[in-house]
Amino acid sequence: MAGQRSNAGRFDGRVALITGGTRGIGLATGRTLADRGAQVVLMGRHAGEGSGADTPEGVAFVKGDVRHTEDAAAAVQATLELHGRLDVLVNSAGIIYRNRTVEEHSEEEWDATFETNVRGTFLMCRAALPTLRRTRGTIVNVASYVGLVGFRGAAAYAASKAAVVNLTRTMALDHAAEGLRVNCVCPGSVDTDMIRRAWEATGDVEEAAREWAAKHPLGRIASAEEVARAVAFLASDDASFLTGVALPVDGGITAG
Ligand code: NAD
């Protein structure tokens, strides 16, 4: 608007809580939001990179497991005690079991996948909603492109990410009238521990890296920072009219 200073992409005065925040996409998102002025709280089960002495200014760590109701509530409470408000919730905690069709999955693996990826997202959203409502805040879930299309060999994971995509859309509708926006990113392969573990399991890391890159039309996998920037966009005022969006950040995989 004429005469108004642009606050594009900035988070000054805002507070973000990020699950799975001590590694990978969650940690990169914490750094990106902190660089853009946010006060950031990283939630993780173990003290990790994001909780150490190298933690950037404006970033705090709270210990917790997204599968547990009381940990979800405690993380929100700790954020409020530290910073007095919550504007952005990013649900990045997630796990995967690979090389398993439905017949090859144990029930324990199936339940563990849904407990972290779906129940964890549900519990965190539910715990954060009362305070997000007060700030007209926003939620960004980290789903996956395999929540948008079928994916061979990770049945529980793909089903859980599809659940996250449709939870996102449904929450967007349920809470739009309250001024809350709920979106998700759907990354392709991202260079984090999650992918490195898969490459190592093949026994030939270099060949696996080449194969994974070739699956993406852009010819490479993403960095965690590239996904973090997409999360930051959805969480920012630049995305003020976006809600219920499942944004592929996948180098073109789902375009075909
Ligand atoms: P990562 O393994 O590096 O990080 C996952 C983080 O989640 C870790 O810090 C882990 O400790 C945490 N976590 C797991 N279970 C938890 C629990 N119960 N409570 C709290 N924290 C828990 O992986 P990443 O690549 O950064 O993955 C982040 C998200 O991105 C996940 O939801 C993943 O499914 C999704 N994703 C990753 C890729 C990829 O290729 N790396 C692609 C698409 C989507």
Side-chain angles (χ1 to χ4, degrees), residues 23-25 45 65-66 92 142-143 157 161 188 190 192 195 197:
R23 282 209 319 250
I25 295 168
R45 281 172 306 172
D65 186 321
V66 297
S92 189
V142 182
Y157 182 76
K161 291 299 183 177
V190 189
T192 67
I195 281 288
R197 282 193 298 270

Side-chain angles (χ1 to χ4, degrees), residues 185-235:
V185 290
C186 297
S189 302
V190 189
D191 193 354
T192 67
D193 289 352
M194 188 177 266
I195 281 288
R196 297 266 160 188
R197 282 193 298 270
W199 291 349
E200 278 158 22
T202 68
D204 186 344
V205 171
E206 283 182 16
E207 178 55 23
R210 265 194 300 277
E211 256 178 49
W212 250 259
K215 282 191 287 187
H216 299 71
L218 284 181
R220 62 178 179 83
I221 67 168
S223 68
E225 290 70 27
E226 287 177 301
V227 179
R229 288 199 292 272
V231 174
F233 165 66
L234 289 175

